[in-house]
Amino acid sequence: AAGRNQEVDGFNDTAIYFSGFAPISDPSRPDLFYHLVSLPHPVDPTKSTPAYAVSFLSSPPASGRSATVIGWLPAAAEAISVSGDVEAGLNDFTENSQFRPLLQGAVQEALREGGDEVWTNSARQLQRGWMHIYDSRNIPALGRVGDPDDIIGSVLVEDSKILADTYQAMPSYRLCTSDGPTQLTEGLAKKLRNVLEGVALREAS
């Protein structure tokens, strides 16, 4: 299995897709898709190893190193549950370092556009101060500060309005934890998908 939340820098080649394999969807997370690919082995680049490219897009990425891929899971038997679902975990997830800036940029832009009612309403309730943008996979109890692994970023609120230019990404945020990969509120998720679709089109051209 891959190391703890490693980045893609160790992979230095393009993925080869397994023909005839449709992406696996996750019954508990219908927004996630797992594309079976063959990546260069992180220790021996002359060898390849099967992996699942985790994505919010149902169409396969232009390459295994696509910026649209959240990260990778080993396609070994132990990574698949009895029901056939892919089980994401911090111990075997390999993060794609190219995905993180796309995520953070999409979140900031959605906040700027007022495209997510959850955070717009949260700003109205807060009225003034710093507001944490949490990952929906592990929402903290009311009045509690969440786990740093699940705080995507923070933004300043004044007069119940979000000041998007003050948005700061949280360095400790993890794309995948024991609660699974990134899970966004509806407005943020829609903006991210639009961004990823645009990147996918550019990569394919």
Side-chain angles (χ1 to χ4, degrees):
R4 186 173 294 267
N5 221 32
Q6 298 174 57
E7 294 188 350
V8 69
D9 299 340
F11 296 118
N12 53 18
D13 203 355
T14 301
I16 302 171
Y17 292 96
F18 288 93
S19 60
F21 285 87
I24 297 174
S25 59
D26 191 333
S28 63
R29 287 286 306 276
D31 58 324
L32 287 177
F33 300 90
Y34 302 84
H35 303 277
L36 186 61
V37 298
S38 179
L39 291 171
H41 196 280
V43 176
D44 185 354
T46 64
K47 299 180 180 179
S48 63
T49 182
Y52 285 102
V54 186
S55 176
F56 287 120
L57 302 180
S58 60
S59 55
S63 77
R65 293 193 61 172
S66 167
T68 65
V69 173
I70 305 168
W72 297 267
L73 288 169
E78 58 267 22
I80 310 298
S81 69
V82 175
S83 62
D85 300 334
V86 179
E87 295 186 337
L90 184 61
N91 289 334
D92 49 22
F93 180 79
T94 303
E95 178 180 317
N96 182 358
S97 59
Q98 297 181 87
F99 177 83
R100 183 177 291 269
L102 295 179
L103 167 66
Q104 295 291 358
V107 169
Q108 183 176 24
E109 191 60 28
L111 295 175
R112 189 190 314 278
E113 297 171 352
D116 195 300
E117 292 184 2
V118 171
W119 299 111
T120 299
N121 291 334
S122 295
R124 292 195 187 105
Q125 295 173 9
L126 179 62
Q127 297 183 353
R128 184 180 297 274
W130 285 95
M131 180 173 71
H132 292 315
I133 307 300
Y134 292 105
D135 194 304
S136 297
R137 67 193 171 202
N138 186 18
I139 301 175
L142 187 63
R144 296 291 189 98
V145 177
D147 191 315
D149 289 356
D150 296 312
I151 301 176
I152 302 172
S154 300
V155 67
L156 187 62
V157 173
E158 287 188 0
D159 299 324
S160 299
K161 294 182 179 179
I162 295 173
L163 304 182
D165 288 340
T166 67
Y167 179 79
Q168 298 179 11
M170 178 65 77
S172 61
Y173 173 71
R174 293 185 182 272
L175 296 180
C176 184
T177 70
S178 58
D179 293 305
T182 299
Q183 186 172 3
L184 303 177
T185 48
E186 184 177 355
L188 300 187
K190 181 179 180 181
K191 183 65 178 181
L192 178 59
R193 282 195 300 272
N194 289 341
V195 168
L196 296 179
E197 287 169 356
V199 172
L201 286 175
R202 292 194 296 271
E203 290 181 341
S205 62

